[in-house]
Amino acid sequence: MEKKEVIRLENVYKSYWDGEQLLEVLKNVNVTIYEGEFVSIVAPSGSGKSTLLHIMGLLDKPTKGKVYLQGKDVLTLKDDELAHFRGKHIGFVFQSFNLIPELTALENVMLPMWIIGVPEEEAEIRAKQLLERVGLGHRLNFIPAKLSGGQKQRVAIARALANNPSIIFGDEPTGNLDEDTAKEILELFLELHRQGNTLVIVTHDMKVAKLAQRILTIKNKTVVEL
Amino acid sequence: MIVLVVKRILSHKLRTILNILSVLIGAGFLLFVLGLSNGIEEKFISTLNKLSSNIVIVVPLKINNVLFLQREIRTGVAMELFKENLLNKIKLLPGIKAVSPTIQLTLKVNNKSYQVTGIETKLAPQIILSNIELERGRIYRSKKEVILGPIVAEDLDVKVGDSINIEGKTVKVVGILKRAGTSLLNSDNVIFGDYDFVKSFGHLPPKRIAAIVAISENASLAAQEILKLLDRAYGITKEDDRWYSVITSESISKQLSQMLFIVKAFFIAISLVSVLVSLIVISNNAYMNVADKYREIATLKVLGMRNKDVILLTIAEALVLSLTGLILAIVFVLIGASFMSLLKITISDIVIITLFTIIGTVLASYFPARHAAKIEPAEALRYE
C-alpha cells in the first residue's frame, strides 16, 4: 500500500539578513513525512533546527521552495488562512509547555477548538476525553500553576491533540522535565504513535531521537537521514 | 473566548482596577459637567421666564447679545433716541397694558456707583410690581422717593425710611424689593426711581426718550407688533438696518442659551481633557498587557488564532474595562443627581458618553492590538 504523505518540503531554502550580511540557514531541503510516522530531528543548536521546525510547522515561510501539507501548497495561503490551517492540522508540544496560565487544564485543551470555532459543548466533551486519555481526568479544573511539570506537559499534549491534527510537533518536549517524568511523557508519545498519530520530535538528545522510526539531522545546511 | 477575555483581565487585578478607575473619573466628570450645565441652564431660564414673561423693553441699540446689552445700557451710549410720540403709538397696540419711558444710568449713590432705572411714577406699581414683590415698604410715589433692589440695600446698608444721596440729590428709600434672581429688569442690583428724576441726570435732548418698557399680555406677540410699528415709523425694511431692539425674556433666554452653550462647551472641553487622559491610560494598559502576554499571544497564534482575532481580543479586553468604568460612572452620577437638584442627566447625555467611550476605547486600544497581532507565532517556541 502506498504511504500517504502528510508534509513535504521541496527544494526549501531559507536565509536571513543579519545586518549587511545574508546568512543562509537552510539549503535545498527535501523532506517528506508520511502518515503514522514517528520522526525525530536531532541536530546541534545553531544548525538551523529551529528554522526547519518553524517552516514545517507553518510558523515561517521559506525564502525559496515549496511546502505541502496534506497535498496543499501552503505558501499560497494568506496569513489568516495559514493560521486557521495551522490550528486545524498541526499540534504543537513545547519545551516550556506554553499553557495559558489563567485558564484551567480543561479550558487550555478547549482553546484550540475555540480558536477554530468548534461549538462549546462539543469542545468540552472532547477536551475531557483527551485529558482522560493523558491521565488527567481528575485535574480538569486545575490551573497550570497547580500542576506538576509532567502534568503540564500532559495538558499540552492533550491540547496538541484537540483538533485531531494531521501532525504533531514536539519541540524538545522533555527538555524541562526530570528523567522519570521525561520517560512517562516519551511513553505517552509512543502510545500516540501506536494509535496512528504522526509525530515529529525535535531534540538534541540522541536517546530520545532513537525512539523514532526515522532520524533526520541537518548537515551542511541540508536535511539528511541518519 | 469570553472566558479567555475575562480571565486575562482578572489576572492583573491592580492594573484592571486602575484602568476602570481612570474611565470612572474621566467619563464621570464629563457626565457630571453635562448634567450640571443642563441643570444651570434650565434653572436660569425658567427663573427668567417666570419673572419677566410679560415685560417688553425697547432700546435704541442693535443688540446681538446679552453682554452687549448690559454694557451699552450701563454706559448710556446710544446712537439715536426715540421720539416721545412713539409711546402713544405703542400704547394703542393690541395686548399692551401699560407703557412707560425708561432710562438706566450709572450714578454715584452715597459715593458708590449703581445702576439707577427710571420708570414713570404712575406706572411703577404696574410695571415693577407685576413681576417682583416688595420685601418691605411700598412703591415710590414721587420724585423724592426710590425703591432699592435687595443687593443694593444690603450693599449700602440702608433700611426703609433712610435717605440716600444720588449725585448730590437726597431721596428717601420707601421700599426694598424681594430677591428675584435673574430677571429682565435686573431688579436685585438696581435702584428704581421716577423717570423724570433719573432722566434729569442723563442730559437727553427735549422730546426724546432713551428706552421704553411695556407690560403686555403676551410679550412675544407684543414684541413683534412693536417691531413692526418701529420698522414702519423709521422706514426700515431689512433686519440688518435696525438700530433698535425689542427685548423680552424669551429673546434674552435664547441669547442666554447661546451663551450658556459656549460656557458648556468650555467645561466640556476641560472634561474632555480628563477623558483623554483616561484614553491614554487605556492605551498604556493595553500596551502593557500585550508586552506581558507576549508569549501567550504567540502561543494563541501557534494554535491558529488569526491576526484579526488577536486584534479583537485586545480591543475586547479594553472595552470590558472601559464599559465597567462607564457603568460605574453613570451609576455614581445618577446617585449624585438624586441628591443634587441642579444635576440634570438626560438619556441623550448617557447615549453620547457611551458612544464616545466605545469609540475612544476602540481607537485607544487599536494600536496596541495591532502591535499584538504583529507578534510572530514562532516566538512561542523560543526557549526561556
Side-chain angles (χ1 to χ4, degrees):
Chain A
M1 201 177 87
E2 201 184 322
K3 287 190 286 182
K4 195 181 164 201
E5 67 173 49
V6 178
I7 198 158
R8 178 155 54 95
L9 267 59
E10 210 176 88
N11 301 326
V12 163
Y13 286 77
K14 182 72 185 180
S15 44
Y16 296 104
W17 282 103
D18 183 21
E20 298 274 291
Q21 205 183 353
L22 186 66
L23 269 179
E24 194 168 48
V25 185
L26 294 174
K27 200 166 96 183
N28 198 25
V29 171
N30 287 286
V31 183
T32 307
I33 313 271
Y34 297 97
E35 196 173 73
E37 269 193 325
F38 182 1
V39 178
S40 62
I41 300 170
V42 61
S45 46
S47 59
K49 197 172 51 173
S50 294
T51 308
L52 178 65
L53 177 68
H54 293 172
I55 292 174
M56 288 175 97
L58 314 187
L59 302 173
D60 201 356
K61 289 178 176 176
T63 318
K64 213 166 83 181
K66 298 266 188 194
V67 179
Y68 296 95
L69 182 76
Q70 297 287 21
K72 190 171 181 70
D73 181 357
V74 296
L75 299 180
T76 59
L77 296 173
K78 286 179 192 147
D79 280 359
D80 279 353
E81 288 170 342
L82 190 67
H84 193 76
F85 198 69
R86 182 171 60 231
K88 226 171 159 176
H89 291 283
I90 299 181
F92 282 94
V93 178
F94 306 95
Q95 180 177 5
S96 46
F97 324 126
N98 286 6
L99 298 174
I100 305 299
E102 299 89 18
L103 299 181
T104 62
L106 184 69
E107 288 161 348
N108 262 294
V109 179
M110 289 168 76
L111 187 60
M113 295 187 264
W114 286 340
I115 290 173
I116 66 159
V118 175
E120 183 78 13
E121 277 177 39
E122 198 185 317
E124 194 175 332
I125 292 168
R126 180 156 169 79
K128 278 182 184 163
Q129 284 170 353
L130 287 168
L131 281 167
E132 270 161 27
R133 204 163 131 193
V134 298
L136 285 177
H138 59 303
R139 292 279 188 272
L140 298 180
N141 295 315
F142 280 54
I143 56 164
K146 301 277 179 197
L147 298 172
S148 70
Q151 287 173 330
K152 281 180 199 167
Q153 201 57 305
R154 282 166 189 272
V155 175
I157 291 169
R159 181 177 68 182
L161 290 166
N163 288 327
N164 208 3
S166 312
I167 188 164
I168 297 169
F169 288 99
D171 181 22
E172 301 276 5
T174 56
N176 269 359
L177 302 172
D178 61 61
E179 210 171 316
D180 290 344
T181 318
K183 260 186 193 167
E184 283 172 33
I185 295 297
L186 288 171
E187 190 48 50
L188 187 56
F189 271 106
L190 287 168
E191 177 61 30
L192 293 177
H193 174 228
R194 281 193 289 273
Q195 287 166 2
N197 290 289
T198 311
L199 303 174
V200 174
I201 287 185
V202 174
T203 181
H204 66 275
D205 185 344
M206 204 55 201
K207 270 194 288 180
V208 173
K210 277 182 174 166
L211 291 171
Q213 291 170 303
R214 280 168 71 198
I215 304 175
L216 305 177
T217 191
I218 299 168
K219 256 192 196 143
N220 298 328
K221 297 169 189 169
T222 192
V223 175
V224 290
E225 301 252 356
L226 260 185
Chain B
M1 282 319 245
I2 299 161
V3 179
L4 186 61
V5 171
V6 173
K7 290 201 169 177
R8 275 164 61 112
I9 288 170
L10 293 178
S11 70
H12 291 288
K13 290 196 180 63
L14 184 63
R15 200 184 291 171
T16 296
I17 290 169
L18 291 175
N19 196 331
I20 290 174
L21 204 62
S22 83
V23 178
L24 170 66
I25 293 169
F29 186 47
L30 180 59
L31 194 59
F32 179 80
V33 166
L34 280 175
L36 203 62
S37 55
N38 287 342
I40 290 170
E41 189 172 349
E42 200 179 295
K43 192 166 177 162
F44 208 61
I45 289 170
S46 79
T47 317
L48 182 69
N49 286 338
K50 200 166 68 200
L51 280 167
S52 328
S53 56
N54 60 352
I55 291 185
V56 183
I57 296 174
V58 188
V59 290
L61 295 161
K62 197 169 167 172
I63 290 163
N64 294 318
N65 67 54
V66 185
L67 282 179
F68 186 73
L69 161 80
Q70 294 277 336
R71 192 167 58 85
E72 293 302 316
I73 284 199
R74 223 171 273 160
T75 51
V77 175
M79 309 294 282
E80 286 188 58
L81 295 168
F82 298 117
K83 284 174 190 156
E84 224 170 48
N85 64 0
L86 194 64
L87 279 174
N88 296 324
K89 288 181 186 166
I90 290 175
K91 220 176 278 179
L92 294 172
L93 287 173
I96 300 287
K97 293 202 296 201
V99 181
S100 164
T102 186
I103 185 165
Q104 190 173 59
L105 298 171
T106 304
L107 300 176
K108 285 255 183 250
V109 181
N110 289 3
N111 289 322
K112 284 185 184 173
S113 288
Y114 290 98
Q115 286 179 57
V116 184
T117 302
I119 291 172
E120 281 183 351
T121 299
K122 62 176 184 198
L123 290 167
Q126 222 178 331
I127 290 170
I128 300 169
L129 299 185
S130 70
N131 290 286
I132 312 140
E133 285 175 51
L134 278 161
E135 176 78 48
R136 257 167 301 204
R138 57 171 175 78
I139 197 89
Y140 56 88
R141 288 176 192 153
S142 73
K143 289 181 188 179
K144 302 265 180 186
E145 293 175 350
V146 289
I147 59 169
L148 309 183
I151 293 172
V152 182
E154 203 174 290
D155 202 26
L156 284 172
D157 194 21
V158 294
K159 297 187 293 292
V160 171
D162 290 351
S163 289
I164 54 170
N165 185 302
I166 300 179
E167 302 269 341
K169 287 182 183 169
T170 304
V171 287
K172 196 174 165 194
V173 176
V174 294
I176 292 167
L177 290 166
K178 267 193 182 164
R179 196 175 275 263
T182 320
S183 77
L184 206 52
L185 293 174
N186 194 18
S187 60
D188 288 357
N189 301 297
V190 300
I191 298 170
F192 288 103
D194 178 69
Y195 174 72
D196 288 329
F197 168 70
V198 181
K199 195 181 85 170
S200 67
F201 302 104
H203 315 292
L204 287 182
K207 304 262 178 210
R208 296 282 165 153
I209 46 176
I212 299 158
V213 56
I215 294 283
S216 65
E217 281 156 2
N218 180 330
S220 302
L221 227 70
Q224 281 173 29
E225 290 295 326
I226 294 170
L227 262 182
K228 265 193 246 166
L229 175 82
L230 290 169
D231 288 350
R232 266 202 312 275
Y234 295 105
I236 303 285
T237 49
K238 278 189 291 183
E239 204 174 309
D240 280 354
D241 294 341
R242 282 180 192 150
W243 49 268
Y244 40 78
S245 307
V246 178
I247 307 156
T248 62
S249 62
E250 201 186 328
S251 69
I252 296 271
S253 292
K254 269 187 203 156
Q255 286 168 358
L256 272 178
S257 294
Q258 282 167 13
M259 263 175 50
L260 280 170
F261 180 78
I262 294 168
V263 174
K264 194 171 168 176
F266 175 72
F267 278 107
I268 289 171
I270 289 176
S271 46
L272 281 180
V273 173
S274 80
V275 172
L276 190 69
V277 173
S278 308
L279 292 179
I280 291 169
V281 171
I282 291 169
S283 190
N284 179 51
N285 184 59
Y287 267 117
M288 278 165 74
N289 282 342
V290 171
D292 270 7
K293 313 230 178 220
Y294 206 76
R295 208 179 170 84
E296 274 184 38
I297 294 164
T299 304
L300 292 173
K301 293 185 78 173
V302 168
L303 297 178
M305 192 173 269
R306 293 169 297 188
N307 288 347
K308 60 182 178 190
D309 296 328
V310 174
I311 291 177
L312 282 178
L313 182 73
T314 311
I315 292 177
E317 278 179 32
L319 269 179
V320 169
L321 295 176
S322 289
L323 291 177
T324 308
L326 176 70
I327 290 166
L328 288 175
I330 293 172
V331 169
F332 282 135
V333 175
L334 286 180
I335 290 173
S338 67
F339 290 106
M340 223 175 129
S341 63
L342 210 56
L343 205 56
K344 293 260 188 290
I345 308 294
T346 63
I347 295 288
S348 66
D349 291 338
I350 292 175
V351 171
I352 288 169
I353 278 197
T354 305
L355 285 176
F356 197 82
T357 306
I358 292 173
I359 294 167
T361 304
V362 170
L363 289 177
S365 57
Y366 177 72
F367 293 98
R370 238 180 42 169
H371 187 65
K374 279 186 185 155
I375 294 174
E376 288 294 331
E379 290 289 334
L381 285 98
R382 193 157 287 169
Y383 306 131
E384 277 152 8

